Amino acid sequence: GDASGRIVVWDPRTWTIKRSIAGHPSGVQAMAFSRDGRRLATGGADGAVKVWDLSDGELVVQYRGHTDSIKSLDFSADDRRLCSVDTIGAVNCWDLSDSNSAPFWSESESEHSRITHSADGVWLAANGDQLRLWNLREGGKPKVFEEGGHCVAFSHDSRLLAWGDNRGHIRVWDVKNEEIIHDFAPSTPVGALAFSPNGDHLVGGMGVPFLRSRARQCPLWVFDLKSGEKLPSLPHHRGHVAAIRFSRDG
């Protein structure tokens, strides 16, 4: 998606364009694929959230509940919900079986920048000036951690939650036992995190605020979650790390 509002879907096997959609007149600011790969959610600078059917490029539903540009989108594991966060930190969650423009759940008490669902669909985490963790099954007030930041990730079994902050800390929270089991300190702002599929390792990358030169080495940190040790770093980045992903087979 680009500033003109155009959305382009590519086939990576042939590098040909599968779909070209005129999506948001105000420009595309965020995108997310559904877990089954059949739909694409997009967010515009005008606060509109749209869901597209990738088989024909048609608009499935449009939601309007934000007053500012969309910053992040995330589907639940079962693809029944879509959550969005805008640049002023408001979070809305939408029931995708309902075309009603009103979100079924909203939160605007804190400034958030990134949101993510746990794989089991029970938890929603939003990171920003604080980290907030909601139990979507039971409802109620969120668990609030004062040390927020720019990135947040759940392990694939939904047992662990990790988040990084601008002060150079990566904390790993045991969701069931409600305790921090690791507090790693790479000492530079954290820009991205990812758990390995088997949950044995956590990988993090250096974030933007620390950098003054693109020539600076920005390795990936690798942590052994069983021993709590920091393993040898992975080099070769010369700019801040914005995203980390493992292949499905690890």
Side-chain angles (χ1 to χ4, degrees), residues 151-232:
C151 54
V152 59
F154 281 100
S155 61
H156 292 251
D157 60 6
S158 304
R159 188 176 63 86
L160 302 176
L161 171 69
W163 71 98
D165 63 31
N166 288 334
R167 294 176 294 278
H169 280 268
I170 299 172
R171 294 174 176 86
V172 182
W173 174 259
D174 186 316
V175 176
K176 181 179 179 180
N177 296 319
E178 297 191 340
E179 62 179 352
I180 291 177
I181 58 173
H182 297 295
D183 188 349
F184 302 115
S187 300
T188 57
V190 184
L193 290 169
F195 284 93
S196 62
N198 62 9
D200 288 347
H201 298 93
L202 178 68
V203 177
M206 190 181 298
V208 180
F210 186 74
L211 300 177
R212 293 290 180 265
S213 169
R214 293 181 61 84
R216 184 181 180 87
Q217 286 285 350
C218 300
L220 297 181
W221 313 301
V222 183
F223 304 98
D224 187 320
L225 295 177
K226 290 185 175 179
S227 66
E229 295 180 353
K230 183 177 182 296
L231 303 179

Side-chain angles (χ1 to χ4, degrees), residues 106-181:
S106 295
E107 162 67 37
S108 58
E109 293 182 5
S110 183
E111 183 179 345
H112 306 102
S113 59
R114 290 290 182 270
I115 51 174
T116 187
H117 286 86
S118 60
D120 60 10
V122 175
W123 303 96
L124 176 70
N127 207 2
D129 56 349
Q130 297 174 322
L131 175 76
R132 294 188 170 218
L133 179 64
W134 291 271
N135 187 320
L136 297 178
R137 181 177 295 168
E138 297 179 359
K141 294 183 178 181
K143 175 75 176 177
V144 179
F145 302 87
E146 295 300 327
E147 308 88 355
H150 291 293
C151 54
V152 59
F154 281 100
S155 61
H156 292 251
D157 60 6
S158 304
R159 188 176 63 86
L160 302 176
L161 171 69
W163 71 98
D165 63 31
N166 288 334
R167 294 176 294 278
H169 280 268
I170 299 172
R171 294 174 176 86
V172 182
W173 174 259
D174 186 316
V175 176
K176 181 179 179 180
N177 296 319
E178 297 191 340
E179 62 179 352
I180 291 177
I181 58 173

Side-chain angles (χ1 to χ4, degrees), residues 11-61:
D11 184 336
R13 294 167 296 184
T14 60
W15 293 115
T16 56
I17 295 175
K18 294 185 66 176
R19 296 276 175 247
S20 180
I21 304 168
H24 295 265
S26 60
V28 181
Q29 300 296 313
M31 295 191 297
F33 282 102
S34 61
R35 310 294 181 180
D36 62 11
R38 297 178 180 178
R39 290 174 291 179
L40 176 70
T42 59
D46 59 355
V49 175
K50 299 182 179 183
V51 181
W52 309 88
D53 186 331
L54 292 178
S55 66
D56 56 16
E58 293 296 315
L59 181 65
V60 176
V61 65

